[in-house]
Amino acid sequence: MNIFDRLMQIDRRWVFLFLVILCVIAYVADFQIPILIEPEVESIFTFIDTLPKGSVVFIPMDYDPGSMAELHPMTYAIVEQCWRKEIKVLITALSQNGPGMADQALRDIADSMLVPKTYNGVSYPAREVVNGVDYVFLGYKPYPALVILAMGQDFRLPFPLDYYGTPVDSLPMMRGLHNYNDLACAINISGTNATDYWISYGQGRFGFPLAIGVTGVSTAQYYPYLGSGQIFGIMGGMLGGAEYEELADNPGNAKDAMRVQLFAHLVIIAFVIMGNIGFFATVRKRKRQQREGR
Amino acid sequence: MDFATFLWTTFGAFLTLATFSFLYKDNPFYKFAEHLFVGLSAGYFTIILWHNGLIPKLMFQRLDDGSSYFLWLDSSRPWYLIPALLGIMMWTRFSKKYSWISRWPLAMYIGIGAGAAVPLEMRARVNEQLSAMMRDIDWTYFFGHGGFNFLDTTSGLSQLIVFIGALCALMYFFFSTPHTGLVGGMARFGIWILMIGFGASFGFTVMARISLFINRMQFLDQQWIQSAHDTTNPNYHWGYPLLFYLLILVVVVYIVREIVVHAGKKNTASTGPVS
């Protein structure tokens, strides 16, 4: 048995173990790698950064804890950027297992607002973010496509009450806020096919500016919508989150994870090359044996 | 972090390790975590649906003054009764005799869904995409805005690649003509374009899977390991490290047991069965 045969018979668990050890080493090692900013992420940052105070940004957090690894970093960075710049945020969670997680995330970000910070050379004082004034969390309703269409008429149709059971009409932020026409933009952060609904039923039907943040698995399939101008920005997976954190000068878990990603990808590329070499060498050997057998 | 929260965090760490143990092999810890996740998700979804769908939309209409109407009897929106009845009709599927009744709400649901979807999906996914493909090639910035930039998706070159790529990929699925000559060449190029697309998806998928693993590492480090040894915590006591090392002990015992069992199997295989 030569090295190529051994390569083809290697137990996949050794690959997993090797990858885990390398990831742990890269995680423990204290160094940073440069983050290349893509224009499709920068366009979202610039859009929010140039909004006047008091504007309303709509952030549908359509994901559940299974996708929070990839999508939480962008949510944290965008919501904090909005609040620091005194931009109001309207939130829904149209994934059935997401409302509790979204509520917790909002509380976490509200807590971080209690600390004064400096981002991109601008100092922001500490301030208390008030529910109903700085943000409204509408919560969950089933059937996202129908909810998106209904919100195009009035947010009050699917959501007469917010997530906490308060009538929406009694919230100061909702005065004069009726449908998508009253928003600066919507940034859909989604781990499900809700993004399709937002593109077709939301932007397609009502024509508001839409950007998306999606999981790595589905990033490639949404790039055509960027080229056609149906969305003005796209953040793909943890890398998209890391780029946004870099732009917002607010490093978090995504940027911290990029060095581990780098080494993990290198290892996987090496294994893919080794696997291919082993495969083709084995095929060649089998063909040679068949020829000699004849 | 108070001790109650740490208790749950330790349970989260246990479930994380139990889930990852499947990479080695299927085992009772993984089975426990898997069943817990499925049950918990179903239960959570049911409660969320009950409180966000059925209660506010079907049972009660809450008013600004805090009072509520029972919708079916005394409401400003009595027409909510119609979808409620349609919903109840769906349950007749469990009866062989009356299951035909469920076709009515189902037909209405499919009709509404198709009516809403067809024009909007056609516009967003077909018309807009076709229109984007047929735009004039930007010859002024053919190689990118501000100098040569292959990654500039708005450059004329990108537009040209998208146009030719889409045409060739469509040609691959055109089976009314034999794939020979020019058509064959275009179809072959179309396959390459599709493969590049699948490759991009695979790359992103790898990143996604590694992201999930990194997030779990961050959880274990930042929330579990650090909390277990955070002596600056005013609530800190011996229970924190005890829980931490207890879980570590469980992991170590499982690993040692597996090594012993594996070595035992190897010895049996080398000596052969005793007759």
Side-chain angles (χ1 to χ4, degrees):
Chain A
M1 188 183 281
N2 63 23
I3 187 168
F4 298 117
D5 293 323
R6 283 177 189 275
L7 212 57
M8 293 306 289
Q9 287 175 11
I10 193 167
D11 192 330
R12 63 189 164 83
R13 288 177 292 192
W14 288 113
V15 179
F16 295 148
L17 186 66
F18 187 71
L19 198 61
V20 166
I21 290 169
L22 200 98
C23 284
V24 170
I25 291 169
Y27 179 75
V28 172
D30 189 21
F31 66 95
Q32 291 291 328
I33 58 163
I35 309 285
L36 178 73
I37 307 296
E38 290 166 301
E40 55 266 31
V41 179
E42 194 170 8
S43 60
I44 303 173
F45 175 81
T46 311
F47 191 100
I48 294 176
D49 213 44
T50 50
L51 284 176
K53 281 181 187 176
S55 305
V56 182
V57 170
F58 185 24
I59 304 180
M61 291 171 66
D62 302 337
Y63 60 97
D64 53 28
S67 308
M68 63 190 269
E70 296 185 85
L71 303 175
H72 247 22
M74 40 183 105
T75 303
Y76 274 65
I78 292 172
V79 173
E80 184 165 349
Q81 182 194 8
C82 288
W83 283 347
R84 292 282 176 193
K85 297 190 78 66
E86 294 180 38
I87 293 166
K88 297 174 192 300
V89 181
L90 182 68
I91 299 137
T92 55
L94 300 184
S95 177
Q96 64 266 27
N97 288 337
M101 178 204 66
D103 176 47
Q104 192 187 13
L106 291 172
R107 288 170 196 272
D108 282 352
I109 306 165
D111 283 346
S112 72
M113 289 291 295
L114 298 172
V115 181
K117 288 201 178 144
T118 303
Y119 294 129
N120 288 320
V122 182
S123 297
Y124 296 96
R127 109 182 151 86
E128 192 181 351
V129 172
V130 182
N131 175 29
V133 177
D134 296 293
Y135 74 97
V136 170
F137 179 34
L138 294 174
Y140 170 79
K141 282 284 179 292
Y143 302 109
L146 300 178
V147 176
I148 291 165
L149 282 172
M151 283 193 291
Q153 293 179 55
D154 198 320
F155 292 113
R156 290 154 187 80
L157 277 178
F159 296 104
L161 312 174
D162 74 354
Y163 176 72
Y164 309 103
T166 315
V168 161
D169 277 327
S170 67
L171 300 170
M173 194 187 116
M174 293 305 286
R175 279 179 211 136
L177 193 63
H178 295 285
N179 53 38
Y180 301 127
N181 293 333
D182 305 315
L183 303 169
C185 70
I187 300 169
N188 172 232
I189 300 175
S190 171
T192 65
N193 64 342
T195 306
D196 290 324
Y197 299 136
W198 279 105
I199 291 170
S200 300
Y201 299 83
Q203 197 278 336
R205 171 71 178 82
F206 300 101
F208 54 85
L210 174 70
I212 59 171
V214 289
T215 53
V217 175
S218 49
T219 303
Q221 80 186 63
Y222 290 112
Y223 265 88
Y225 298 108
L226 186 72
S228 64
Q230 288 165 277
I231 54 174
F232 70 86
I234 180 168
M235 294 173 285
M238 197 177 245
L239 176 65
E243 287 177 46
Y244 207 94
E245 285 178 355
E246 176 79 0
L247 281 163
D249 192 19
N250 186 5
N253 277 350
K255 199 181 165 190
D256 187 46
M258 280 304 110
R259 63 177 188 273
V260 188
Q261 284 278 7
L262 174 75
F263 281 93
H265 282 226
L266 286 175
V267 168
I268 288 165
I269 289 167
F271 276 120
V272 167
I273 292 169
M274 281 161 62
N276 274 280
I277 291 171
F279 173 74
F280 285 111
T282 316
V283 167
R284 211 170 66 170
K285 187 182 164 191
R286 203 181 305 137
K287 278 182 180 172
R288 198 171 58 230
Q289 282 171 344
Q290 280 173 351
R291 271 201 307 271
E292 285 167 359
R294 279 175 204 156
Chain B
M1 188 184 282
D2 58 73
F3 191 66
T5 312
F6 183 72
L7 207 65
W8 284 111
T9 308
T10 305
F11 188 57
F14 166 71
L15 291 175
T16 301
L17 296 172
T19 307
F20 279 124
S21 70
F22 185 72
L23 292 174
Y24 171 62
K25 70 173 189 184
D26 203 356
N27 62 75
F29 295 116
Y30 171 74
K31 277 275 179 276
F32 171 73
E34 187 188 32
H35 288 106
L36 187 71
F37 174 73
V38 172
L40 208 66
S41 298
Y44 184 77
F45 175 47
T46 308
I47 295 299
I48 286 283
L49 198 64
W50 179 259
H51 285 291
N52 291 274
L54 288 170
I55 291 286
K57 285 289 178 194
L58 192 64
M59 306 296 277
F60 295 103
Q61 181 194 352
R62 197 166 157 190
L63 303 176
D64 287 352
D65 61 6
S67 61
S68 299
Y69 280 138
F70 189 54
L71 285 168
W72 295 11
L73 301 173
D74 185 15
S75 164
S76 59
R77 293 173 187 170
W79 53 85
Y80 275 26
L81 189 62
I82 298 166
L85 283 173
L86 288 169
I88 291 165
M89 283 159 75
M90 287 282 269
W91 287 88
T92 58
R93 286 191 75 80
F94 293 110
S95 158
K96 277 185 184 172
K97 194 177 174 184
Y98 297 108
S99 63
W100 59 272
I101 296 173
S102 67
R103 289 181 193 158
W104 285 92
L106 214 56
M108 191 169 166
Y109 182 73
I110 292 168
I112 291 171
V118 170
L120 292 174
E121 294 282 351
M122 191 71 185
R123 179 176 163 179
R125 289 171 185 266
V126 181
N127 295 359
E128 292 276 357
Q129 292 299 311
L130 279 174
S131 151
M133 211 178 78
M134 292 173 190
R135 276 179 203 150
D136 289 341
I137 302 291
D138 188 353
W139 296 106
T140 320
Y141 298 104
F142 188 76
F143 292 110
H145 296 77
F148 181 79
N149 183 5
F150 194 69
L151 297 174
D152 186 350
T153 52
T154 57
S155 70
L157 183 64
S158 292
Q159 286 177 292
L160 202 64
I161 291 171
V162 167
F163 178 72
I164 294 170
L167 214 62
C168 293
L170 285 171
M171 194 57 80
Y172 174 69
F173 294 103
F174 188 70
F175 302 115
S176 300
T177 311
H179 284 187
T180 52
L182 178 68
V183 175
M186 286 175 76
R188 182 163 283 275
F189 184 68
I191 298 175
W192 280 98
I193 291 290
L194 289 173
M195 290 299 164
I196 291 169
F198 296 146
S201 287
F202 175 71
F204 272 117
T205 305
V206 168
M207 182 181 76
R209 300 297 175 244
I210 297 292
S211 299
L212 301 182
F213 177 64
I214 296 169
N215 180 257
R216 287 294 85 195
M217 276 205 301
Q218 286 170 335
F219 163 75
L220 290 174
D221 173 37
Q222 295 165 8
Q223 292 183 42
W224 185 52
I225 299 172
Q226 287 184 20
S227 301
H229 301 95
D230 182 14
T231 48
T232 58
N233 178 2
N235 300 317
Y236 188 82
H237 56 76
W238 55 268
Y240 286 79
L242 179 74
L243 262 180
F244 173 78
Y245 287 111
L246 213 61
L247 184 50
I248 296 291
L249 187 70
V250 170
V251 174
V252 170
V253 166
Y254 181 71
I255 291 170
V256 170
R257 180 188 167 276
E258 282 302 309
I259 292 169
V260 170
V261 169
H262 190 70
K265 276 182 186 170
K266 219 173 176 179
N267 285 338
T268 315
S270 61
T271 51
V274 179
S275 58

